Amino acid sequence: MFSFSGLILHQLHPFLDSDYAHYTSVGYRGKLAKGFHTAGGLIHIFIPGVRLDSIEDVSGKSTDALLSYVCKQYGNIMSTTACCFVSGHPLHDLKNTILSMLNSVAGRSFEEILEKNDSEDVQQDDGVGETDSTVTNSNRILSAMNKSSSFVLTGAALTISEEVTCESNISMRYLVICRFYDDEGENSLGKVDSEKQEIMDKLKKMFSNEHDYFHEVDSETNTDSKIWTNSSEVAHLARNKCQLKRRAEAAQSADHVQSNCTCESLCQRYLRNDARIESTQRMPTEFFDQGTVRVFKKRSTVVIICGCPKQEVLKLTGHKHGWLILVNLDVLAMVRHNISDIRFLSSAFLKWERKSTVAQEEDHVDQRTTFIPVPINLFPPEHVHDISFWISDDVSQELFFLTTIALTKNCVKEIKLTEIYHDEDKHCLSFNYRMIYSRVDGPLSHLEAVELQNRLRRALIVLGFGLK
């Protein structure tokens, strides 16, 4: 009821009879002469919250127009990235902390490549670079490599994700750390390795605690965006669903064997990157020499990837050696500041309060600044919706996630795959997802969640999803 009225639960306090000497509880079961029990009672304090803007209807748009609209709305959500790196935001503090550590270890100043440089033309050389006016993540890094031998650069990119949770989303803010060396010989190579290792050790120490720690994972596959996937057991099952669901009697049927069910390949195509999402920038992982890559995760989420640049990159930039590190700032900020929901970092409605904390280390006392979002929305209501659709070659899970985040105004806390149904007779697959709506920065009523879900369903139908 309070969400419907545009209020959020801001504070909870114990109710003590001694503090309210003149208070008398009445009205138990409508009887004014009979009061309620007040032992263990709580005082709820509500404040006005920032309500959602009007929800635009998208049912009249064509497929191409709707896809463009989805990408634009998602871009508006991620446009808050520029606000994330201003003073007073935890990501700004995190970036400065890392930059200070880099300057201390390397004994030199790392140049910070600001976003205003993005408008500059990208240097063309041997076919590397883009003539298009759109500046991609890769363009920005390549341009920085041609200008500076030691730099850091921040950005945001879409990542492959097999589920959306309060700890991970389909996009991330990242920090690129790059260092080049022009000396030759074994001593230079030793310096490259030792400096990179020292920085990696300090990063892991700075942002690990007794509950959250990093572990290295196998990176033999490749260094493309697949390494950023947040795997789940259910989604992994989807890749082999066609084989696992085949009934014994169907396997014995000659007709079924000869039919060559294509659901397995259909499922693989559904889980691929969607080529139509051209305006969304990808993670810039193509600069790494695959044989040198090391990947570190916190639980199932990649937080750091490090390695050496490809020889083509070194030749293009005119350097002899170097190393490159990509850091998932969102996850590190959540660990460092005990942030419970990743959507706090993207909110345009929240402010951040600084709180000094003291932590006892092995050999010294570490004083840190913790950031707390305000106003706090305690125990925001959650609204659960399920959605199910038949997949085809015209749709992808990435497009489903992107459309969901864009059209629900970032009000979805969680999206998890709950079931894959295989119709063996018709050779069709349907994916079923459970979605939890909730806002961290304002009120969200049941009616608003229903309206958002209905708008999403109409949009998915236009985009080619076979809703059930």
Side-chain angles (χ1 to χ4, degrees):
M1 184 61 70
F2 62 87
S3 295
F4 182 80
S5 302
L7 302 175
I8 61 174
L9 178 59
H10 184 54
Q11 296 180 32
L12 281 173
H13 299 286
F15 179 85
L16 302 176
D17 292 332
S18 58
D19 294 338
Y20 302 90
H22 302 288
Y23 174 80
T24 303
S25 64
V26 296
Y28 177 72
R29 292 189 176 182
K31 300 177 181 179
L32 295 180
K34 195 171 184 179
F36 291 90
H37 291 290
T38 58
L42 294 173
I43 299 174
H44 296 67
I45 299 178
F46 298 92
I47 61 173
V50 180
R51 307 195 69 158
L52 288 177
D53 296 332
S54 59
I55 301 174
E56 180 183 350
D57 186 15
V58 297
S59 56
K61 297 182 182 292
S62 65
T63 301
D64 291 340
L66 180 57
L67 183 60
S68 176
Y69 177 81
V70 166
C71 292
K72 181 180 179 180
Q73 292 299 111
Y74 179 76
N76 290 339
I77 294 175
M78 293 309 297
S79 66
T80 58
T81 296
C83 301
C84 294
F85 295 105
V86 298
S87 180
H89 195 281
L91 291 181
H92 179 267
D93 174 78
L94 178 60
K95 178 198 66 177
N96 288 343
T97 299
I98 295 177
L99 188 57
S100 176
M101 180 271 292
L102 293 173
N103 295 337
S104 174
V105 172
R108 60 179 301 165
S109 177
F110 278 70
E111 180 182 359
E112 181 180 357
I113 306 298
L114 301 177
E115 199 164 349
K116 63 181 181 181
N117 291 340
D118 294 355
S119 59
E120 297 179 4
D121 294 333
V122 178
Q123 180 176 343
Q124 304 290 317
D125 192 349
D126 296 333
V128 179
E130 302 274 335
T131 58
D132 190 271
S133 59
T134 301
V135 179
T136 66
N137 292 325
S138 299
N139 293 152
R140 295 183 63 210
I141 296 176
L142 185 59
S143 177
M145 286 178 170
N146 282 305
K147 296 175 182 176
S148 177
S149 60
S150 303
F151 68 88
V152 296
L153 177 151
T154 58
L158 183 73
T159 60
I160 302 175
S161 180
E162 292 178 347
E163 62 182 20
V164 173
T165 70
C166 60
E167 293 184 349
S168 63
N169 211 317
I170 64 171
S171 59
M172 58 172 279
R173 264 82 39 156
Y174 63 85
L175 179 71
V176 176
I177 308 171
C178 185
R179 172 89 156 93
F180 288 119
Y181 305 81
D182 296 326
D183 298 331
E184 295 184 354
E186 295 183 359
N187 291 335
S188 178
L189 289 175
K191 181 181 179 181
V192 172
D193 292 337
S194 63
E195 191 170 270
K196 179 178 66 175
Q197 185 60 48
E198 184 177 358
I199 289 174
M200 287 299 302
D201 291 340
K202 287 187 175 295
L203 281 173
K204 289 186 287 184
K205 183 178 180 181
M206 287 167 59
F207 305 107
S208 296
N209 55 42
E210 58 182 350
H211 303 292
D212 295 286
Y213 60 91
F214 302 154
H215 60 279
E216 188 169 359
V217 297
D218 183 19
S219 59
E220 291 182 357
T221 51
N222 49 45
T223 60
D224 64 18
S225 55
K226 292 181 179 179
I227 64 172
W228 297 91
T229 299
N230 302 314
S231 301
S232 66
E233 294 181 0
V234 178
H236 178 71
L237 176 64
R239 293 181 171 82
N240 304 302
K241 191 67 177 180
C242 183
Q243 298 175 352
L244 298 176
K245 285 285 289 182
R246 187 166 298 176
R247 297 190 299 265
E249 60 269 25
Q252 297 172 359
S253 169
D255 293 338
H256 184 81
V257 173
Q258 294 175 2
S259 67
N260 296 323
C261 181
T262 59
C263 290
E264 186 175 0
S265 58
L266 177 64
C267 180
Q268 292 173 350
R269 291 193 294 273
Y270 171 73
L271 296 172
R272 75 194 186 285
N273 276 6
D274 198 309
R276 293 175 293 177
I277 309 176
E278 297 176 354
S279 62
T280 304
Q281 300 188 49
R282 306 286 181 181
M283 281 301 303
T285 55
E286 67 271 21
F287 296 101
F288 286 101
D289 180 350
Q290 296 183 15
T292 65
V293 169
R294 298 177 66 191
V295 179
F296 295 86
K297 285 188 173 185
K298 183 185 81 74
R299 299 174 189 171
S300 62
T301 304
V302 173
V303 290
I304 300 175
I305 173 173
C306 68
C308 297
K310 292 179 178 179
Q311 287 299 317
E312 295 92 327
V313 175
L314 294 174
K315 181 179 178 181
L316 178 64
T317 57
H319 299 290
K320 303 299 183 182
H321 313 290
W323 48 260
L324 189 65
I325 299 176
L326 293 183
V327 180
N328 187 333
L329 290 178
D330 287 337
V331 174
L332 295 184
M334 293 181 70
V335 172
R336 185 172 180 84
H337 301 293
N338 295 318
I339 298 172
S340 59
D341 195 307
I342 196 171
R343 295 175 298 162
F344 279 118
L345 297 172
S346 300
S347 175
F349 306 124
L350 294 174
K351 296 182 179 179
W352 297 87
E353 287 186 352
R354 296 171 179 264
K355 181 180 179 181
S356 298
T357 59
V358 178
Q360 180 66 48
E361 300 292 341
E362 295 180 357
D363 53 352
H364 68 285
V365 175
D366 183 21
Q367 185 169 355
R368 294 184 179 181
T369 299
T370 300
F371 286 80
I372 301 174
V374 291
I376 291 291
N377 186 8
L378 297 176
F379 308 110
E382 295 185 350
H383 312 283
V384 180
H385 291 268
D386 290 341
I387 194 167
S388 177
F389 47 78
W390 299 103
I391 66 171
S392 66
D393 285 333
D394 297 327
V395 300
S396 68
Q397 182 171 252
E398 185 176 69
L399 179 61
F400 167 61
F401 282 169
L402 183 68
T403 304
T404 299
I405 299 300
L407 297 188
T408 60
K409 300 178 178 291
N410 209 22
C411 291
V412 173
K413 173 185 177 181
E414 187 175 291
I415 309 174
K416 287 194 175 182
L417 181 63
T418 57
E419 183 186 9
I420 305 100
Y421 172 71
H422 180 204
D423 189 326
E424 299 176 15
D425 297 326
K426 297 181 180 180
H427 308 300
C428 298
L429 279 176
S430 74
F431 276 58
N432 310 304
Y433 296 87
R434 171 148 294 181
M435 306 168 59
I436 299 179
Y437 283 81
S438 178
R439 281 188 71 190
V440 296
D441 55 2
L444 180 69
S445 68
H446 170 70
L447 292 179
E448 288 174 323
V450 170
E451 189 175 357
L452 289 172
Q453 181 74 357
N454 288 338
R455 181 170 83 146
L456 173 64
R457 292 179 63 88
R458 291 191 292 269
L460 292 176
I461 291 174
V462 174
L463 292 174
F465 289 81
L467 265 67
K468 298 168 68 175

